[in-house]
Amino acid sequence: LDSDAPRRAGRVVGAAIKRLGDQDVALELSEEPAAVGKRITVQLYVPRVGDTLRVVMPSMDSASSQPCRVMLECRQDFAGTSIFVSLAEDSFPHVYTVTIYDLSKEAKVVWTVGDNIMTRLVKQSTREALLVSTHGLLRFGAVGLDSSLGFQSS
């Protein structure tokens, strides 16, 4: 957790204002370059009180080069309340999920941010697979690796 650090250069993935209990929370999710891979940063800001909180999750574990899937952070005094922040990254479809729990008021905010780059690739690859399968079915009468042999009648 790095609540008082200056902003670093990075690509903003998403921003939103959500209601948590009785106050508005401004959220910003960004990707920042790191020594290995990238860091995912969620910044929470409560305009009424002026509190700022940054939760940073590495995208990859430097020791094992495995993706870090979830980051949990608990802050006892943020905007006059106790909060619990969960940041998760799913690889397919590629989305980040930020969950904020207000422990004193039992309120919860879930915010999901995704990019459509992977969705466009999936749609194109699905369309391509359908064309190849249809071509094999029409030309050879079968779909698959040995479709060029076609069906044999007995």
Side-chain angles (χ1 to χ4, degrees):
L1 177 67
D2 191 7
S3 61
D4 297 323
R7 291 214 17 116
R8 296 174 182 93
R11 180 177 78 95
V12 175
V13 178
I17 297 177
K18 298 288 184 175
R19 189 88 174 151
L20 181 64
D22 60 348
Q23 53 195 353
D24 292 327
V25 178
L27 303 166
E28 181 183 276
L29 184 81
S30 60
E31 296 176 341
E32 301 172 352
V36 175
K38 61 186 174 195
R39 286 188 300 261
I40 312 305
T41 303
V42 174
Q43 183 163 326
L44 289 77
Y45 174 69
V46 179
R48 188 177 61 141
V49 197
D51 280 357
T52 302
L53 173 69
R54 287 174 52 100
V55 178
V56 180
M57 177 180 84
S59 162
M60 292 219 153
D61 181 15
S62 58
S64 64
S65 296
Q66 294 297 317
C68 183
R69 296 287 180 219
V70 67
M71 178 71 182
L72 304 173
E73 186 68 44
C74 187
R75 174 60 72 96
Q76 293 299 322
D77 186 26
F78 176 71
T81 187
S82 297
I83 65 166
F84 184 79
V85 180
S86 166
L87 171 61
E89 179 181 9
D90 291 324
S91 56
F92 188 78
H94 190 241
V95 295
Y96 300 105
T97 303
V98 179
T99 307
I100 306 166
Y101 298 96
D102 185 341
L103 300 175
S104 61
K105 296 180 181 77
E106 297 180 7
K108 175 174 90 167
V109 169
V110 179
W111 180 46
T112 303
V113 179
D115 52 25
N116 57 3
I117 294 170
M118 188 56 96
T119 306
R120 285 188 301 225
L121 292 175
V122 169
K123 287 182 181 176
Q124 183 178 358
S125 66
T126 303
R127 193 170 39 242
E128 208 171 288
L130 181 64
L131 286 173
V132 169
S133 298
T134 305
H135 177 263
L137 187 63
L138 292 174
R139 185 164 181 201
F140 304 113
V143 176
L145 294 176
D146 294 331
S147 63
S148 62
L149 299 176
F151 289 117
Q152 296 183 4
S153 60
S154 51

